[in-house]
């Protein structure tokens, strides 16, 4: 089985240590150009179809406006449920409750906490134009860190990110149950091989 995932999820998938699963990653930087995700996924599927019995997609819709699902339907590949990784990490009901509780919430996964400077500060140009902070985040009230691992260093980075944005900080531990549930017992017949990513994910 092949799992084609966002590079932002590589660390989490590998941590599950599932047998009989190979992992191929598309660059996490595609989130800056979500319109490119569907065809990048199609190309990856077609490049690997003959080598695997089954291919799974580990992406939310991720801003593709339904285009990713259209491509997956055409290619006969199923994906994890959820509009984005926040929903499938936290669980869709829990995420909906968080959003209803405080609509002005900016979410961080462990990956985003570690890559906050690169993806948010530099990505939005706040390193050069800090005055844009209010334009981007003036309507937000809090940062919710959806934590996949109990890692003090990542927690510290998430807190620092909230401080930098001038927002309240909350941490909600999600673990990896959402990924585990989707990938399930996928192929236990490969004890001699270790799961490994076929491409380097976005730097983590």
């Amino acid at each position: 089985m092949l799992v084609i995932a966002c590079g932002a999820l590589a660390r989490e998938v590998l941590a599950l240590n599932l047998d009989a699963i190979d992992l191929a990653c598309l660059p996490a930087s595609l989130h800056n150009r979500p319109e490119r995700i569907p065809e990048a996924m199609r190309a990856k599927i077609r490049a690997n179809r003959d080598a695997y019995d089954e291919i799974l997609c580990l992406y939310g819709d991720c801003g593709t406006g339904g285009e990713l699902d259209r491509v997956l339907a055409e290619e006969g590949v199923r994906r994890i449920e959820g509009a984005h990784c926040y929903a499938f990490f936290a669980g869709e009901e829990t995420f909906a409750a968080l959003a209803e509780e405080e609509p002005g919430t900016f979410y961080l996964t462990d990956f985003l906490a570690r890559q906050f400077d690169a993806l948010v500060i530099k990505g939005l140009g706040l390193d050069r134009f800090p005055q844009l902070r209010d334009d981007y985040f003036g309507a937000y009230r809090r940062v919710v860190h959806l934590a996949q691992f109990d890692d003090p260093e990542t927690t510290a980075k998430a807190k620092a990110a909230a401080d930098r944005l001038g927002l309240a900080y909350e941490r909600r531990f999600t673990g990896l149950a959402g990924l585990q549930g989707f990938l399930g017992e996928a192929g236990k017949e490969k004890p001699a091989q270790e799961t490994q990513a076929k491409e380097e994910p976005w730097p983590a």
Side-chain angles (χ1 to χ4, degrees), residues 25 62 91 101 115-116 139 142 159 164 166-167 180 185 193 204:
C25 292
C62 296
E101 173 188 299
Q115 296 296 330
F116 183 77
R142 67 177 181 178
K159 287 180 179 177
R164 192 160 185 183
L167 301 174
Q180 179 75 60
E185 297 299 314
Q193 293 178 295

Side-chain angles (χ1 to χ4, degrees), residues 44-187:
K44 186 67 70 176
I45 291 168
R46 292 185 175 181
N48 288 279
R49 190 187 302 280
D50 292 343
Y52 292 92
D53 296 322
E54 184 175 5
I55 296 175
L56 300 177
C57 172
L58 202 57
Y59 261 88
D61 175 76
C62 296
T64 69
E67 284 300 299
L68 178 59
D69 284 336
R70 182 184 63 80
V71 166
L72 294 175
E74 291 172 357
E75 298 297 332
V77 171
R78 63 188 177 95
R79 74 167 176 90
I80 192 169
E81 292 185 4
H84 36 61
C85 59
Y86 312 129
F88 58 72
F89 276 138
E92 292 192 82
E93 289 186 8
T94 298
F95 180 79
L98 284 169
E100 183 175 352
E101 173 188 299
E102 175 51 82
T105 300
F106 185 74
Y107 298 93
L108 292 176
T109 61
D110 285 352
F111 175 85
L112 285 174
R114 296 193 307 272
Q115 296 296 330
F116 183 77
D117 281 353
L119 297 180
V120 178
I121 298 301
K122 294 180 181 177
L124 295 178
L126 294 174
D127 55 330
R128 292 170 292 135
F129 306 104
Q131 67 273 21
L132 292 177
R133 180 267 170 205
D134 289 343
D135 292 332
Y136 286 126
F137 296 100
Y140 288 92
R141 298 291 176 265
R142 67 177 181 178
V143 166
V144 170
H145 173 202
L146 301 172
Q148 287 71 69
F149 300 97
D150 278 321
D151 176 31
E153 182 178 351
T154 302
T155 298
K157 289 184 177 182
K159 287 180 179 177
D163 289 343
R164 192 160 185 183
L165 296 178
L167 301 174
Y169 172 78
E170 295 181 25
R171 181 182 183 274
R172 307 288 183 101
F173 181 75
T174 69
L176 301 175
L179 300 187
Q180 179 75 60
F182 175 65
L183 297 176
E185 297 299 314

